[in-house]
Amino acid sequence: MAEQTAFAGTHDTGGVKPDRAVVRDALAVGVAVGLSGFAFGVTSAGSGLSLPQTCALSLLVFTGASQFALVGALAAGGNPFTAAAGAFFLGVRNAFYGLRLSQLLALPRAVRPFAAQWVIDETTVVALAQPTRRAARIGFTVTGLSLYLLWNLTTLLGALGAEAIGDTEAWGLDAAGPAVFLALLAPMLKTTRERAVAGIAVLLGLGLLPVLPAGVPVLVAAAAAPVVLWAEGRRKTGDRETGDRAVNDSRDSHDPQRDQYGPQEEDR
């Protein structure tokens, strides 16, 4: 009961969710996303990375978007440092997830370094969707474990398959990575702000692709977020100023003292 009360302070309880339902939902996410590791294995092998390098990326990095960005930039002939920088900036978001999950899950200190490896989009979404801390811990653990195991297994299978079929471009499998990434990203764009950021990022990336070295357009496209936030802040400031002027004008036009005694001194 004490845990439920403490948890309610940071997360809306909304009732208790059965452990079986939490496990079912977490497994559904883990299996659905884990299968896309096959596309990463194919893409990585097609970009020139060896089987050990491909598997090491999934084992150690384990953040799909960053992995796809890295091998995509390498496949396009980009500088390894530029490709790594683009992957790094995409992975920074996981640090912010960790700040929220550290309060939500309240895991023992000895467990946190191991749990940090599973702090990704999917585990964060599943954990935050749960009504209690117990359910959040179960959701995080089941999603992380199932996704980690399946992602690494399918990465291995994808890399082996790419080596078996040879030229991935001849089969069109070089487009599998970007296609999966877009399929995962699209459902997350729920607000106008998020769609605007995505749209501007796409325009920047595609527009600069012919004139900048591979990997650099991805870094420049990251500027879409602050641009949209700046524009939104300016719009809100303008709306507030317009609203304030409208309120002041309305007060002046309905000033009882002005109506009773006629024009004031400043009006004469």
Side-chain angles (χ1 to χ4, degrees), residues 49-228:
L49 271 68
S50 66
L51 179 62
Q53 289 172 330
T54 297
C55 292
L57 273 175
S58 283
L59 284 168
L60 302 177
V61 179
F62 187 54
T63 169
S66 297
Q67 293 177 234
F68 277 121
L70 176 63
V71 299
L74 293 175
N79 184 288
F81 294 102
T82 303
F88 171 79
F89 282 115
L90 280 175
V92 165
R93 70 191 189 283
N94 293 340
F96 296 98
Y97 295 161
L99 293 175
R100 180 67 181 95
L101 289 178
S102 64
Q103 300 175 348
L104 184 68
L105 302 176
L107 296 173
R109 291 185 179 273
V111 179
R112 292 179 185 178
F114 303 97
Q117 178 69 355
W118 291 350
V119 176
I120 55 176
D121 298 327
E122 292 77 15
T123 54
T124 302
V125 169
V126 172
L128 291 176
Q130 306 310 318
T132 64
R133 176 167 289 151
R134 172 183 171 81
R137 287 176 172 176
I138 294 174
F140 175 85
T141 302
V142 174
T143 304
L145 179 60
S146 60
L147 182 50
Y148 188 78
L149 293 177
L150 192 55
W151 178 270
N152 282 280
L153 175 61
T154 54
T155 293
L156 173 62
L157 295 177
L160 291 173
E163 291 184 352
I165 60 180
D167 186 8
T168 56
E169 292 186 8
W171 294 81
L173 294 178
D174 55 315
V180 171
F181 179 67
L182 290 176
L184 294 174
L185 177 64
M188 301 179 184
L189 305 178
K190 298 180 179 179
T191 66
T192 302
R193 178 195 302 170
E194 292 167 350
R195 296 189 187 99
V197 170
I200 295 176
V202 169
L203 292 176
L204 287 174
L206 294 179
L208 298 174
L209 191 60
V211 297
L212 293 179
V216 176
V218 176
L219 299 178
V220 178
V227 168
V228 171

